Structure formats: C-alpha cells, structure tokens
Amino acid sequence: QSALTQPPSASGSPGQSVTISCTGTSSDVGGYDYVSWYQQHPGKAPKLMIYEVSKRPSGVPDRFSGSKSGNTASLTVSGLQAEDEADYYCNSYAGSNNLGLFGGGTKLTVL
Amino acid sequence: EVQLVQSGVEVKKSGESLKISCKGSGYSFTSNWIGWVRQMPGNGLEWMGIFYPGDSDARYSPSFQGQVTISADKSITTAYLQWSSLKASDTAMYYCARPIVVRGVVIRLDYWGQGTLVTVSS
C-alpha cells in the first residue's frame, strides 16, 4: 500500500489558520475513524496531536483540531504561533494485517 | 510518568550486527505493545513493527519482515530492535513508541522515545 498523500508544505502568518490535508483511499482514511496526527520539530521525536480523527490528547492546545470527509482527513491549526512551525504527519489504520500508513509529511512554516 | 529511553548513537560498518534498545517506565510494560518507526535522512516516518512483551507476539510491516528482529526483556522492561547484517541503506533515525492497540487496531502512538541515530558506512 502507498503512503498517504500530504502537501509538502503549508504556511500562514501568526494568528491565522492553516489546514493540512491527508488523502488516502476507502481502504484506509475513508474506511475507518482511526486517523492520527503527529508534530515533529527539527531534531525531536514526533508528538501525538490528534487521534481518532478529532480527539486531542491531554495537554494539546485546542488550537489544533482534526476532521475527515470521505478519503481525506485534515488538521487545522488556528491562531498560528511561532512554535507551531514543524513537520506534521498523518497516520491511518489500513485494515487487518497492516500496522497502518503514514503520510509523507507537511512542513508548516509560520511566516 | 510514561518514559521511553533509547540507547545512544551507533556508527557501524556494512555487514556488522546491531541491537538497539528502548527502556520503558511509568506504565505496565507487559500489558502494552511497543513499536519501532524508521525515519531515513530527510524523509518521513515508516512503521517497522510492533511487539507485545506479555506473550512475545511480534508483527512486522512487509518491508521489514525478515530484515530486522523486534524483541523484549520483560525483567528489565526493555525492547530491542536488531539487525544481523547492516546495510548502508539502514542509515536512519529509529524511534520506539508505545502504540495503543484496540482489538488489533493501532489507534495511536501516544509516547515516543528520543530516537537512536544509526549510521552505517560501506
């Protein structure tokens, strides 16, 4: 199975909102509500930001939200802050006998 | 507090063997899966496999089946990722992470180790 498709880059000014997409198929993103998003700052380990499409772990600001429509999941960051500049990766369950698929990653730049 | 602490940087030559580690603490090690994720230089994240220390159940992504071995020592709450013969293409950062698995579904990776950089020269 192929990796999920994310735009290589996204950007926004402080205070603005930006949305990052993650496109798969009906066998992964579209078929299950098990999409998660991870934030990775340079030289650091990834951090869970969203799971099961739209749930936020404790400690993640409510500026981060997730949604899904058909085969595309989205991560929206509202009220952009400088510290949001990072790489973001989506992940989806892709059926039995499969650990899941990651997206290729999106580099978010805060202008 | 859940913590996953990985072993340090490794510099090896092609053909050599290697075993890197990930020590879990702050949670029940035998009742939770542990997984490994590869990140090649400048690239994205790739699932390698997961392991359940409670019964030694190991599951691998097709790309890594037969290429690596995942194991654990319950007595010291430590998971391992092992290669018998490294290749230059194994040069990458390797992360351990705790996957939450419900009825066979990996829901999320909620805690991550700090990563182990492996460099293999030819």
Side-chain angles (χ1 to χ4, degrees):
Chain A
Q1 282 172 292
S2 301
L4 306 175
T5 300
Q6 297 182 234
S9 63
S11 63
S13 299
Q16 287 186 331
S17 292
V18 65
T19 296
I20 298 169
S21 63
C22 170
T23 301
T25 69
S26 57
S27 297
D28 38 69
V29 174
Y32 311 93
D33 287 333
Y34 295 125
V35 176
S36 51
W37 290 90
Y38 301 86
Q39 176 192 65
Q40 186 179 34
H41 287 110
K44 299 293 189 185
K47 174 188 174 184
L48 177 66
M49 304 301 284
I50 296 286
Y51 66 99
E52 290 178 46
V53 176
S54 60
K55 297 179 180 178
R56 262 190 320 275
S58 171
V60 172
D62 60 7
R63 302 184 294 102
F64 291 85
S65 62
S67 63
K68 190 184 83 165
S69 177
N71 297 336
T72 298
S74 299
L75 173 72
T76 298
V77 186
S78 306
L80 270 176
Q81 298 183 4
E83 62 260 34
D84 300 332
E85 186 162 293
D87 293 326
Y88 291 85
Y89 294 92
C90 63
N91 178 273
S92 174
Y93 177 65
S96 59
N97 300 317
N98 192 312
L99 297 179
L101 296 174
F102 280 104
T106 298
K107 182 175 179 61
L108 174 60
T109 300
V110 180
L111 302 170
Chain B
E1 178 197 7
V2 173
Q3 285 194 313
L4 297 173
V5 179
Q6 298 185 228
S7 49
V9 173
E10 298 280 358
V11 179
K12 307 291 279 186
K13 290 187 165 62
S14 290
E16 292 185 332
S17 62
L18 176 64
K19 193 174 190 178
I20 62 175
S21 66
C22 169
K23 181 171 175 60
S25 62
Y27 71 100
S28 173
F29 186 76
T30 54
S31 301
N32 284 270
W33 292 82
I34 190 85
W36 290 93
V37 175
R38 183 176 79 174
Q39 187 168 38
M40 297 179 77
N43 283 16
L45 306 172
E46 300 173 85
W47 259 122
M48 299 181 74
I50 58 175
F51 187 88
Y52 191 75
D55 62 6
S56 299
D57 184 7
R59 303 178 189 183
Y60 298 89
S61 289
S63 300
F64 295 94
Q65 180 80 49
Q67 306 305 307
V68 297
T69 301
I70 299 173
S71 62
D73 184 336
K74 291 187 287 190
S75 67
I76 55 172
T77 65
T78 298
Y80 301 99
L81 177 64
Q82 183 174 3
W83 295 259
S84 58
S85 180
L86 285 161
K87 302 187 278 287
S89 56
D90 292 319
T91 294
M93 181 72 83
Y94 293 89
Y95 293 102
C96 65
R98 189 182 78 165
I100 299 301
V101 182
V102 178
R103 293 186 294 278
V105 177
V106 178
I107 303 295
R108 62 188 184 269
L109 295 158
D110 61 351
Y111 291 94
W112 293 69
Q114 82 277 19
T116 295
L117 180 62
V118 174
T119 301
V120 183
S121 62
S122 52

